[in-house]
Amino acid sequence: MIAGAVASLATVMTPRWARAAPPLKIVALGDSLTAGFGLPPQDGFVPRLQAALRAAGRSVTITNAGVSGDTATGGAERVDWSVPDGTDGVIVELGANDMLRGVDPKVTRAALARILDRLAQRRIPAMLVGMRALPNLGEDYARRFEAVYVDLARERGLIFYPFFLEGVAGDRSLNQGDGVHPNAKGVAAMVRAITPTVERFLDQISANRA
């Protein structure tokens, strides 16, 4: 009994900073850009992002739920089994393949909304990552496609990163031979650019948890 009382007192007197919180469990739900297509596992987006966040002192574990070739509709169909119970937050990166296939932006929007709705029902915060359309698809398609992400993020008050390939798209030195998928240097550039936004997302999760 005395030992139990001492243990309880020690817990109360332990400074808050000394009580290590469990790592945040994040799932990156995406396509080949998330999956790390064409790269050694350690050079993919998810492991590089996790390493950058941990180097910044963040206690976080990121699960790679990227599936090469996946569309937003495919992501909506697998969201429940790709995002296990106990997940603290989801980075949603889907739609690039919709754009490459010329899918009607209304279809992409509906699928992304299904993903976000399901995560909200499960009380799992989401961060939305946007994509831009290729110029050869025309101005009207680009306007409608890119507005999907902007509108969903605004309507739902989500932390939003507008363009996943910011600073990388179109730069041959940062892409693989297909001109679509980033190489290791490209991934490093993507991680540097998106990390501050992801940190804001982690802060939001931690604040809600507290």
Side-chain angles (χ1 to χ4, degrees):
M1 183 172 180
I2 294 176
V6 171
S8 299
L9 181 61
T11 300
V12 171
M13 296 179 65
T14 302
R16 182 170 295 178
W17 57 263
R19 301 175 207 162
L24 291 177
K25 297 177 182 178
I26 305 299
V27 170
L29 181 71
D31 47 39
S32 59
L33 299 175
T34 290
F37 176 86
L39 295 170
Q42 70 273 13
D43 288 333
F45 173 75
V46 170
R48 295 292 291 271
L49 176 61
Q50 179 177 279
L53 291 168
R54 288 181 175 178
R58 300 285 183 163
S59 180
V60 60
T61 298
I62 308 179
T63 298
N64 189 344
V67 174
S68 294
D70 215 0
T71 60
T73 298
E77 291 171 350
R78 66 182 174 90
V79 63
D80 274 337
W81 60 262
S82 292
V83 181
D85 291 341
T87 297
D88 294 304
V90 178
I91 299 171
V92 179
E93 179 277 308
L94 285 161
N97 288 308
D98 299 57
M99 178 268 295
L100 292 173
R101 299 174 190 181
V103 172
D104 189 329
K106 291 181 180 179
V107 174
T108 304
R109 180 192 173 98
L112 289 172
R114 282 171 56 199
I115 292 170
L116 297 172
D117 286 345
R118 183 56 183 148
L119 293 174
Q121 289 169 0
R122 295 175 61 190
R123 299 182 182 276
I124 301 174
M127 168 184 158
L128 185 61
V129 177
M131 182 53 59
R132 291 180 184 161
L134 293 173
N136 63 355
L137 292 169
E139 292 184 5
D140 179 66
Y141 184 92
R143 176 183 55 78
R144 292 188 297 120
F145 177 77
E146 293 168 19
V148 165
Y149 299 94
V150 176
D151 292 347
L152 284 173
R154 182 181 63 246
E155 291 167 5
R156 295 161 186 262
L158 303 177
I159 289 180
F160 177 49
Y161 187 72
F163 184 31
F164 196 36
L165 296 173
E166 183 67 51
V168 174
D171 188 332
R172 285 188 175 185
S173 69
L174 298 178
N175 284 278
Q176 298 177 45
D178 61 9
V180 174
H181 295 96
N183 57 27
K185 288 184 178 179
V187 170
M190 292 166 63
V191 168
R192 283 195 299 272
I194 200 173
T195 292
T197 304
V198 176
E199 289 198 277
R200 284 175 49 214
F201 183 47
L202 298 182
D203 287 341
Q204 181 187 71
I205 294 171
S206 296
N208 290 339
R209 176 189 275 184

